[in-house]
Amino acid sequence: MRKVSVNLLASERRAISGLAGLYASRMLGLFMVLPVLALYADTLSGATPLLVGVALGVYGLTQALLQIPFGLLSDRIGRKRVIAMGLVIFAIGSIVAASSSSIFGIILGRALQGGGAVAAAIMALLADQTREQIRTAAMATIGLSIGVSFAIAMVIGPWLAAWAGLSGVFWFTAGLTLVGLLVLWRWVPVAPRRVRHRDVGMDRQQLKSVLSRPDLWRLDVSIFSLHLVLMAIFVAVPFRLLDAGIAVNYHGLAYLAMMGVAFVLMVPLVIVGEKKHCTRTICLLAIGVIAVSLACLGLPVTGEPWLFAWLLAFFTGFNLLEALLPSMLSKLAPAGAKGTAMGVYSTSQFLGAFLGGTLGGWLSHQWGLDAVFIGAALLALAWWLMMWGLPAPAPLSSEVVALHETRPDALELLMTRLAEVAGVEDVMVVPEERLAYLKVNRQQLDRAALTRLLTPPGSPNT
């Protein structure tokens, strides 16, 4: 049977573009500070390397604590209200940081920025606005927007700081947030319904089973470690560029060159990993490259070319893992538990950012910049050893299909028959949502048999 393509509705286009833009602009504001805060810390009273590290990563702590409560609150009072509330908190945090002349004010502002934890609510609203057939592609758009925002932040953060100072970066972020409020209320359509989506939101009943899976917590530890080393080294990377003779005004160009080449190197590896079903091998390679590059960055700098080579290797590995880890999580998560698994994964990411900034600042304060890279390299080595035990994920994909029957006896029979379809590896039927969550091997899937089971009686055969 030929698979019929699904065209986007006008409301879905507006929802995807608007919410992806909201997510990206928020992450842009958080990331723009990374390449500049350490350089401008001497203009802040009370600044020490440790406190600079805390300021870099503290948003991760408040984000980790509040993202799940905000997501649950959006189920009760409405997605747009919670997102608007989070954006206002984020804007207040940006203004507090922009108005501060001390490192403690910056820490408070960054903590408030993280307190606008609307990631889960944005994803839930996107799920409300999209049909099951295109939801996976819509979520992938959000993921792509995060990667793009990180690359853009690395480039425009230094340029903006050189022109308007550190406070200018935060004022720009506050302005972006206010524009985001307009987009939310004027561009993003009103959701036709508000439903709890197991492929997007957290289900507390599944939390224990997700946390007890060794393959899933290895991925949680991976994203934790990835963002830990990222935050840690940005206590030191800007000074490495200065030591190499690159003026602050040109740091944006340096990051632009490295991120551009890293993207070009990363894309073929992602394609090979997915096509050849060797994502585990590619991930081990990426972690190994990160460990080696960090160790080499901890050695005395021998010249600008080597500095660029090791930073390029790090960013290539970082971008590669940012793309592959969510894909692996999607393959390994049980049917109907993807949203819960992603919630734990995201919380791990934010905790890693917090501890990474703090650890990087502490290492720099105690033993200098070289210790930051050496410490991060040792952690990456331990991470590589831990990931060695991860089994290769099966080439599975998640599918969500609508049900035409909700009688308990009929649903039990439907589950049995769905599980018997060739290529269907796992099934969860949720009557109250009128949905079935499937894990399928697309290469082996008998889509004609699946379509026959899910087609209402009397409907024309397509």
Side-chain angles (χ1 to χ4, degrees), residues 234-282:
F234 267 99
V235 174
V237 165
F239 296 108
R240 279 283 189 263
L241 294 177
L242 284 179
D243 292 341
I246 302 171
V248 175
N249 295 8
Y250 295 99
H251 281 200
L253 284 174
Y255 289 119
L256 176 62
M258 287 184 288
M259 297 300 291
V261 176
F263 180 80
V264 171
L265 294 175
M266 175 267 292
V267 170
L269 291 172
V270 171
I271 294 173
V272 168
E274 294 290 350
K275 293 284 188 182
K276 302 295 184 181
H277 310 302
C278 58
T279 51
R280 174 185 175 273
T281 301
I282 299 294

Side-chain angles (χ1 to χ4, degrees), residues 65-86 89 115-118 120-122 124-125 128 194-196 201-202 204:
L65 292 174
L66 294 175
Q67 68 154 344
I68 292 176
F70 269 44
L72 296 175
L73 183 63
S74 75
D75 290 336
R76 299 182 59 187
I77 69 172
R79 317 291 192 207
K80 281 196 172 185
R81 289 182 181 179
V82 169
I83 295 171
M85 181 174 65
I89 294 172
V118 296
I122 288 176
L125 179 57
D128 290 341
R194 190 164 72 241
V195 180
R196 293 185 64 184
M202 174 72 71
R204 284 173 287 186

Side-chain angles (χ1 to χ4, degrees), residues 122-410:
I122 288 176
M123 299 296 272
L125 179 57
L126 185 61
D128 290 341
Q129 297 274 15
T130 52
R131 292 162 293 162
E132 291 82 8
Q133 302 96 312
I134 57 97
R135 189 168 298 150
T136 299
M139 297 302 168
T141 303
I142 295 283
L144 178 63
S145 73
I146 298 172
V148 172
S149 67
F150 176 76
I152 294 174
M154 291 296 99
V155 175
I156 69 173
W159 287 343
L160 192 57
W163 174 62
L166 182 61
S167 63
V169 175
F170 288 110
W171 283 119
F172 180 77
T173 300
L176 274 181
T177 309
L178 296 178
V179 172
L181 283 168
L182 290 175
V183 170
L184 175 66
W185 291 108
R186 305 296 295 179
W187 179 252
V188 177
V190 177
R193 64 198 186 285
R194 190 164 72 241
V195 180
R196 293 185 64 184
H197 304 274
R198 292 171 187 260
D199 57 336
V200 176
M202 174 72 71
D203 182 356
R204 284 173 287 186
Q205 294 179 343
Q206 296 176 313
L207 187 58
K208 184 177 179 180
S209 63
V210 166
L211 290 173
S212 64
R213 288 270 301 264
D215 51 356
L216 293 180
W217 63 251
R218 277 188 169 91
L219 296 181
D220 297 333
V221 172
S222 290
I223 196 64
F224 171 90
S225 303
L226 182 63
H227 281 260
L228 189 152
V229 298
L230 175 72
M231 284 293 167
I233 68 170
F234 267 99
V235 174
V237 165
F239 296 108
R240 279 283 189 263
L241 294 177
L242 284 179
D243 292 341
I246 302 171
V248 175
N249 295 8
Y250 295 99
H251 281 200
L253 284 174
Y255 289 119
L256 176 62
M258 287 184 288
M259 297 300 291
V261 176
F263 180 80
V264 171
L265 294 175
M266 175 267 292
V267 170
L269 291 172
V270 171
I271 294 173
V272 168
E274 294 290 350
K275 293 284 188 182
K276 302 295 184 181
H277 310 302
C278 58
T279 51
R280 174 185 175 273
T281 301
I282 299 294
C283 279
L284 286 170
L285 174 64
I287 298 168
V289 167
I290 286 175
V292 171
S293 64
L294 290 172
C296 292
L297 286 167
L299 301 176
V301 177
T302 56
E304 185 177 327
W306 282 111
L307 173 65
F308 274 93
W310 298 129
L311 285 175
L312 174 61
F314 174 83
F315 284 123
T316 302
F318 176 85
N319 290 336
L320 189 55
L321 290 168
E322 280 283 351
L324 288 181
L325 289 175
S327 173
M328 294 173 71
L329 187 78
S330 179
K331 292 180 175 67
L332 291 170
K338 180 180 175 184
T340 303
M342 284 301 301
V344 176
Y345 176 89
S346 298
T347 300
S348 302
Q349 171 185 326
F350 295 127
L351 287 175
F354 168 63
L355 291 176
T358 305
L359 177 64
W362 180 75
L363 289 172
S364 176
H365 184 77
Q366 294 293 327
W367 294 291
L369 299 180
D370 292 346
V372 176
F373 296 108
I374 298 300
L378 291 174
L379 186 141
L381 177 60
W383 169 22
W384 188 90
L385 293 172
M386 183 273 301
M387 280 291 283
W388 184 262
L390 178 72
L396 302 181
S397 303
S398 299
E399 288 207 9
V400 184
V401 294
L403 301 177
H404 59 82
E405 179 61 76
T406 57
R407 290 184 296 114
D409 56 336

Side-chain angles (χ1 to χ4, degrees), residues 8-87:
L8 289 177
L9 303 175
S11 61
E12 289 174 331
R13 290 193 188 94
R14 290 177 60 181
I16 293 170
S17 61
L19 293 174
L22 275 179
Y23 206 117
S25 63
R26 184 174 165 278
M27 298 309 295
L28 180 67
L30 290 171
F31 288 143
M32 276 196 301
V33 179
L34 295 189
V36 298
L37 182 57
L39 292 176
Y40 290 82
D42 57 357
T43 65
L44 302 170
S45 62
T48 66
L50 174 59
L51 292 176
V52 168
V54 172
L56 281 174
V58 70
Y59 83 89
L61 177 62
T62 48
Q63 180 88 7
L65 292 174
L66 294 175
Q67 68 154 344
I68 292 176
F70 269 44
L72 296 175
L73 183 63
S74 75
D75 290 336
R76 299 182 59 187
I77 69 172
R79 317 291 192 207
K80 281 196 172 185
R81 289 182 181 179
V82 169
I83 295 171
M85 181 174 65
L87 290 176

